[in-house]
Amino acid sequence: METLQADQTSLQCPNCAGQCLFSPTEQALTCLSCGTPHPVLDPENDTDASGEFPFDPNAPESDKPQVTKERAHQCQTCGGTVIFTAENLSERCPYCDGAVVLGRQDIGYRTKALIPFQADADFAQRQALAWVAGRKAAPSDLSGTVSKGRVAGLYVPFWTFDSEEAVNYWAKQTTGSGDNRRTRKIKGAMHIRFNDLLMPASPHVTPLIRDGILHDFTPSDLRPYDAGFLAGFAAERHHQSVQEGLDSNADDKRWLIRNRIRGHINKSGVHNIIYQTDSSGIHYRRILLPVWILHYNYRSKPYKVVVSGIDGRTFGERPFSKLKVAAYSAAISAGTIAFGLAWGVAGIL
């Protein structure tokens, strides 16, 4: 596969002109030839990157896409588009492990900030194996299979959104049963403030990936974007406008608002919630967050385990052992029966 030529000069070792890759353990660019670490950012450029940008849905968007030097690699399986900076570590898609082919120059939006990888590949591999070992209902030979799996480091695109929501809502509450069943109408108003609401900026960021890093996000950890942080990793750039980002995550936001309304009403039996909201004070960030994805196949079916590149939080997919599930079910049933008999013998029933 062709190596990308973007920012190659800045990725050369100043000591020996060797190729540098970003090291999560060193938090620096490390030369593959002489091993010397070099800072990614000069001190004067390593500034606060947690700043947000205002968005007015009624005005033309000022944030425009740009054609870059990087040439994207298109996955032939899932359709994902990723870029590789410096050495290409793989010819596979980090999202699905499908084959990728070199495409045209990438057209995307400028990333505002990112959180660099803190966990390296060896750590991610250990986390994935530990997660699998903790799955009691998994097949006995699964750990051996996962240990042969391929781990891929990927920067995935996310939004953060702030907004103020003036909400008017209407709902129904049903209480009682039978002849005493009653339904009454409820209405009310409330104010909701969303701060740093983290939302995927790509359809390829699945719930599995999002849940692997969602709880790890801290705005103060953001660093100014620099291609040096991407050296040796794959990345998907931002390809959504701000309005497209808001629209694609509208269902999640509606779910959050309905949950806030339930909490505001604070009564059981509430249903049929409808609402109107006036959004204002919208601010956003375009960021990249790091994730390790370990792909493996078990009995010809693909699975993956996701490890946060920040602190190692791990989620995954795995098969179940039918024999173990049956054994656990039998044990639970036997325990329930024994408890019932003991209770009865004790004269409680």
Side-chain angles (χ1 to χ4, degrees), residues 147-170:
S147 66
K148 302 173 186 176
R150 173 189 163 272
V151 66
L154 172 69
Y155 283 99
V156 293
F158 273 85
W159 296 99
T160 69
F161 287 116
D162 294 356
S163 66
E164 306 283 342
E165 308 289 334
V167 179
N168 291 291
Y169 63 82
W170 300 263

Side-chain angles (χ1 to χ4, degrees), residues 4 63-74 79-83 103-111 157 201-202 225 235-241 244 286:
L4 293 178
D63 195 358
K64 302 294 183 182
Q66 303 169 344
V67 179
T68 66
K69 301 175 187 177
E70 294 99 339
R71 293 177 67 186
H73 292 77
Q74 187 81 32
T81 302
V82 295
I83 58 173
R104 300 177 179 177
Q105 285 181 302
D106 192 40
I107 301 176
Y109 293 85
R110 186 173 65 86
T111 301
S202 165
Y225 174 84
E236 181 181 7
R237 297 189 68 213
H238 281 255
H239 295 99
Q240 294 178 337
S241 67
E244 287 170 341
R286 295 183 188 275

